[in-house]
Amino acid sequence: MVGDFEIAEFLDLLTTRTAELLSVGASGVILRAPDGNLEVLSSTSRQADLLEQFAVQVDSGPCIDCVRTGMPVSCADLATDGPRWPRFTAAARECGFSSAHAIPMRLRKEVIGVLSLLGTEPGALDDERLALGQALADVATIAILQHRAIEHGQQLSTQLQTALDSRVVIEQAKGILAQHGSLTMDEAFTALRDHARSHSQRLATLATSVIAGETDLDTIRIPGPRRGERRP
């Protein structure tokens, strides 16, 4: 992965080169979002984009079947084979396409999307072009999954750093409250936690306020008697 990798530019390059190398009218990429929904991420033409958006909306078409099964789906002539997807076929004709092929983007059993190939004339893709299309889809899949893994790692790293920062702030606030009220650190933490809960505050937010001197420490109720005092 190069340092300046950008997923949108990568998918635009993928669809453009795919249409050129496989000599098809248009190409597009539909990916499965984290919530499971399908999204059109790239298309080489406005008509292709409209058709793919429609396929996702009506949940029908070669690309939809491809995502579901994880297997390539080909329709050399929508005029004869199109009845399998009547709404998609009608929309494809309106957009000027007569054939459609869908190549899965998958790694082992995980299907992340589909590489869509649209032809303006009827015709099947020979084995060589299908193999090339699958190779392009495989490379794209690896790149996308790697990109997601890096983003996920960065997100986890950010969350961990935030948690560590919050812990430091809370420890500092515990020390201030413990010194002010002659408490143990455990008692100070319990007091902070109870005060935050009773006032619908995040513990880290209250701790930050204590450190900044923005909270009157006497308003934080101490749990039980202070050290050196007897319980009633």
Side-chain angles (χ1 to χ4, degrees), residues 165-181 183-185 187-193 202-213 215 217 220 222:
D165 292 343
S166 295
R167 179 178 178 180
V168 170
V169 169
I170 292 170
E171 289 298 320
Q172 290 176 347
K174 284 166 54 178
I176 292 173
L177 187 59
Q179 183 178 18
H180 175 79
L183 305 172
T184 66
M185 294 296 281
E187 290 172 339
F189 176 73
T190 300
L192 282 171
R193 182 193 60 197
R202 293 180 63 249
L203 184 58
T205 301
L206 174 60
T208 301
S209 177
V210 167
I211 294 171
T215 296
L217 299 184
I220 301 179
I222 308 304

Side-chain angles (χ1 to χ4, degrees), residues 45-183:
S45 72
R46 180 174 179 275
Q47 293 302 102
D49 185 71
L50 288 173
L51 179 58
E52 289 167 341
Q53 295 283 2
F54 180 77
V56 170
Q57 181 180 355
V58 300
D59 196 32
S60 177
C63 52
I64 305 301
D65 287 358
C66 180
V67 172
R68 287 173 176 165
T69 65
M71 300 296 294
V73 178
S74 293
C75 183
D77 190 350
L78 288 169
T80 57
D81 299 332
R84 295 168 56 185
W85 316 282
R87 299 179 69 183
F88 173 84
T89 298
R93 291 175 178 173
E94 287 291 326
C95 291
F97 298 112
S98 300
S99 61
H101 309 273
I103 298 175
M105 300 176 68
R106 69 170 185 265
L107 180 63
R108 301 180 183 89
K109 294 183 179 180
E110 182 181 4
V111 181
I112 67 167
V114 57
L115 179 61
S116 177
L117 312 172
L118 301 170
T120 55
E121 299 291 338
L125 293 179
D126 56 38
D127 291 342
E128 182 177 355
R129 286 195 291 171
L130 284 174
L132 177 56
Q134 187 64 69
L136 291 169
D138 291 344
V139 171
T141 299
I142 293 172
I144 292 169
L145 289 177
Q146 177 69 10
H147 179 66
R148 288 180 177 177
I150 291 173
E151 284 191 328
H152 181 63
Q154 291 173 340
Q155 182 181 24
L156 289 178
S157 179
T158 300
Q159 291 174 345
L160 176 59
Q161 187 60 54
T162 299
L164 291 173
D165 292 343
S166 295
R167 179 178 178 180
V168 170
V169 169
I170 292 170
E171 289 298 320
Q172 290 176 347
K174 284 166 54 178
I176 292 173
L177 187 59
Q179 183 178 18
H180 175 79
S182 298
L183 305 172

Side-chain angles (χ1 to χ4, degrees), residues 1 5 22 81 129 212:
M1 299 292 288
F5 179 84
L22 274 61
D81 299 332
R129 286 195 291 171

